[in-house]
Amino acid sequence: MAEKKSNTGVEFMDKLVSLCKRRGFIFQSSEIYGGLNGCWDYGPMGVELLNNLKSSWWKSMTYRDNVEGLDASILMHPRVWEASGHVENFTDPMVDCKECKARFREDQIDESSCGNRAYQGRKAVKCQLEGKFTSARQFNLMFKSYIGPLEESSAIVYLRPETAQGIYVNFHNVKDSTRQKVPFGIAQIGKAFRNEINTKNFLFRTREFEQMEMQFFVKPGSDMEWFSYWKEERRKWYLDLGMSADKIHFHEHEKLAHYASAAFDIEFEFPFGWGEIEGIHNRTGYDLGRHQEFSGKNLEYYDDEAKEKYIPFVIETSAGASRGCMAFLCNAFAEEEAPTGDGKVETRTVMKFHPKLAPVKAAILPLVRKDGMPEIGTKLYDELKNSFKVFYDESGTVGKRYRRMDEVGTPYCITIDSETLQNQTVTVRERDSMKQERIALDAVRAFLFEKLEM
Ligand code: GAP
């Protein structure tokens, strides 16, 4: 099976976005009303993929003895965001093109022309006005709302722009309730919101997204050792889930945030270029130090072996679940020349997800809708459905059904055919190699458990 000639970045994205809609991965939010910019809905396949991604992260991060889980609320006391620096500093410089009125982040414009492709509507003529931008205004990216019925300044709340702060403010609650000792970590998965000036590239930069963050609290002085440890752990997680090694790399921050002493991004090579999917930061003692200052509560840790008190340093691993989902969608998408079985060759689109990420693990396909094959198929489906996400399909030629399952990345197709009626065996077709083997009908369940590493 040969790889088809490679697509340009734009072609690739067009095909991926179209497949995502057609096969129920990702839909535009509020589509029937024209959509809502920067927001996306996960369809039946998308939510399985996203849940598999999150559950793999959760297991790898919290099924160990030195990391605890947490699910903090999205709305937090407004002082949290003063302490974190978000009220003051979480801003982007925003400029408007004086010609077409489009709005941009100042650091993302090409000074020579506005370049807005939506200019002049459907004709997609680029706005060419040279350098005629308004001067930059600082725009805070936090979504603001009010708690209770009165819209007054004392009632302001923010939708959290990151999950990390919920962890810092619960440091002592988690430590005391679990009897953990430093070094230990707290992990959580949850929604975050940023009123991005320019949303772009599908799930890459959105206004509502999900993060998978872990804050690891360490004794000052041991921080760089733990930083290296988590950096490698996190790279390995992507590789273990089938990310191509040549599609991710580390990017070291040259300019560090004032509180950080080291920062690396894990970047993925998207069709539009390299982009961050996760940040690994040594945040020093800044976070607990600031919350101690703003809350007036003592957030020091007492080390009863060394008999000393200190503010723990934090090593943060901050991954985007939505952005990670997009990276795994890009990583999986393939178009190949494949034989049809009757001497012809056709192009098949196949999502080569790691079996752990695949939304559907196996499809049960009776070859024909007669001779008792559907009955055997539905019985097998009923036996498997409590353990795996499986799909039963009896409509269309088996070739068409294989292609449909390839498009959603189903690792195994199990066909019930005339031989099944004679000797109680089935054909198992593997998605990537398209190789087929016969196994006993009553061995299917054990086969899937083994192959899916469940
Ligand atoms: N607590 C640190 C923090 O939030 P960040 O680099 O701003 O750091 C971490 O965000 C991760 O969250 C990014 O690597 C990315 O995967 C994801 N992320 C950030 N902004 C996003 C957006 N607007 N849309 C989708 N994902 C985003």
Side-chain angles (χ1 to χ4, degrees):
M1 184 179 20
E3 279 283 314
K4 249 196 100 210
K5 78 173 172 48
S6 63
N7 295 296
T8 65
V10 175
E11 279 167 0
F12 184 101
M13 282 311 297
D14 284 351
K15 286 182 180 174
L16 182 67
V17 172
S18 145
L19 178 135
C20 281
K21 173 164 185 188
R22 188 163 38 89
R23 300 313 316 271
F25 282 94
I26 310 289
F27 306 130
Q28 199 182 12
S29 161
S30 325
E31 191 190 87
I32 61 168
Y33 289 98
L36 183 66
N37 213 335
C39 301
W40 297 90
D41 297 343
Y42 289 74
M45 290 297 125
V47 68
E48 290 292 334
L49 173 65
L50 183 66
N51 284 346
N52 291 341
L53 186 74
K54 290 190 291 187
S55 118
S56 160
W57 184 88
W58 190 255
K59 282 185 191 154
S60 106
M61 298 303 275
T62 71
Y63 289 16
R64 45 171 94 210
D65 50 20
N66 58 358
V67 179
E68 303 289 342
L70 179 77
D71 188 0
S73 62
I74 288 174
L75 301 179
M76 300 179 73
H77 196 288
R79 289 278 282 166
V80 167
W81 306 110
E82 288 171 34
S84 69
H86 283 83
V87 169
E88 200 181 337
N89 300 319
F90 197 53
T91 55
D92 274 342
M94 179 177 73
V95 294
D96 296 335
C97 171
K98 288 184 180 168
E99 169 73 8
C100 70
K101 311 291 179 221
R103 191 154 279 172
F104 299 93
R105 255 172 70 173
E106 190 191 29
D107 53 350
Q108 288 180 352
I109 50 169
D110 167 8
E111 285 296 328
S112 62
S113 84
C114 155
N116 176 20
R117 284 190 177 274
Y119 182 60
Q120 293 189 4
R122 259 173 275 131
K123 282 195 225 144
V125 177
K126 276 176 38 174
C127 173
Q128 294 293 348
L129 193 73
E130 280 189 24
K132 290 281 170 60
F133 294 101
T134 58
S135 51
R137 284 166 292 154
Q138 289 302 323
F139 171 74
N140 195 296
L141 301 185
M142 282 196 294
F143 280 98
K144 205 189 265 184
S145 187
Y146 299 92
I147 204 151
L150 296 178
E151 295 194 5
E152 56 189 20
S153 58
S154 62
I156 287 178
V157 282
Y158 299 99
L159 296 187
R160 68 181 176 201
E162 61 171 16
T163 60
Q165 301 302 324
I167 293 180
Y168 304 136
V169 300
N170 277 298
F171 168 68
H172 276 285
N173 284 337
V174 174
K175 174 183 75 64
D176 294 344
S177 57
T178 59
R179 293 186 288 132
Q180 283 282 3
K181 289 186 190 323
V182 166
F184 77 97
I186 306 177
Q188 85 166 319
I189 298 176
K191 290 265 185 173
F193 304 83
R194 296 182 189 179
N195 201 357
E196 300 282 358
I197 296 168
N198 293 131
T199 57
K200 60 175 181 184
N201 293 330
F202 199 31
L203 308 177
F204 185 80
R205 189 176 303 288
T206 55
R207 295 198 165 110
E208 176 176 337
F209 55 97
E210 240 172 328
Q211 288 188 317
M212 308 183 290
E213 295 198 301
M214 194 276 308
Q215 315 294 322
F216 200 75
F217 300 90
V218 303
K219 185 173 182 174
S222 67
D223 44 316
M224 281 317 288
E225 212 176 300
W226 280 110
F227 182 78
S228 305
Y229 171 82
W230 282 111
K231 198 173 141 226
E232 196 40 41
E233 283 285 285
R234 294 304 306 139
R235 190 180 84 94
K236 203 169 152 293
W237 180 77
Y238 289 98
L239 299 180
D240 287 350
L241 280 181
M243 194 68 98
S244 311
D246 59 346
K247 288 223 167 260
I248 53 170
H249 68 201
F250 282 116
H251 166 78
E252 185 171 6
H253 285 214
E254 280 159 23
K255 235 177 92 192
L256 290 170
H258 59 283
Y259 51 80
S261 67
F264 278 83
D265 293 338
I266 297 179
E267 291 189 333
F268 175 78
E269 191 178 18
F270 289 100
F272 43 83
W274 289 92
E276 173 192 340
I277 48 176
E278 170 157 355
I280 296 138
H281 314 121
N282 180 344
R283 302 181 59 111
T284 67
Y286 176 81
D287 305 288
L288 291 185
R290 288 280 287 193
H291 285 300
Q292 172 164 285
E293 184 188 333
F294 278 68
S295 67
K297 298 278 167 10
N298 184 357
L299 297 185
E300 285 173 320
Y301 173 77
Y302 179 66
D303 183 335
D304 50 10
E305 272 166 32
K307 307 269 180 273
E308 57 176 329
K309 280 185 185 167
Y310 55 82
I311 289 279
F313 274 24
V314 168
I315 307 302
E316 169 181 67
T317 69
S318 174
S322 341
R323 204 178 275 185
C325 213
M326 170 153 169
F328 279 107
L329 281 164
C330 292
N331 188 64
F333 183 90
E335 286 178 320
E336 293 173 347
E337 305 289 344
T340 55
D342 55 4
K344 292 190 196 130
V345 170
E346 66 173 15
T347 300
R348 73 163 184 154
T349 301
V350 50
M351 297 300 283
K352 295 187 170 179
F353 293 122
H354 187 284
K356 281 197 177 134
L357 291 182
V360 176
K361 308 301 182 193
I364 320 295
L365 315 173
L367 191 62
V368 287
R369 249 189 275 187
K370 57 182 186 183
D371 301 335
M373 291 183 205
E375 288 74 11
I376 297 174
T378 43
K379 185 162 174 276
L380 179 61
Y381 171 79
D382 286 339
E383 277 166 22
L384 297 175
K385 74 179 181 200
N386 290 330
S387 310
F388 312 99
K389 182 81 183 165
V390 282
F391 184 73
Y392 177 83
D393 188 3
E394 54 176 37
S395 67
T397 65
V398 79
K400 282 218 176 83
R401 284 181 268 166
Y402 282 158
R403 296 290 173 270
R404 287 202 289 262
M405 296 324 296
D406 286 346
E407 279 196 333
V408 294
T410 305
Y412 297 101
C413 286
I414 297 153
T415 308
I416 321 292
D417 53 23
S418 51
E419 227 182 300
T420 315
L421 308 175
Q422 291 159 17
N423 63 9
Q424 300 291 298
T425 61
V426 290
T427 305
V428 180
R429 176 223 190 230
E430 197 273 330
R431 178 194 67 203
D432 296 350
S433 64
M434 295 193 285
K435 287 209 176 99
Q436 305 196 0
E437 62 176 302
R438 284 203 85 82
I439 65 168
L441 182 58
D442 61 9
V444 170
R445 194 182 153 78
F447 173 92
L448 289 178
F449 264 110
E450 190 202 319
K451 295 286 183 186
L452 299 169
E453 297 170 37
M454 291 178 79

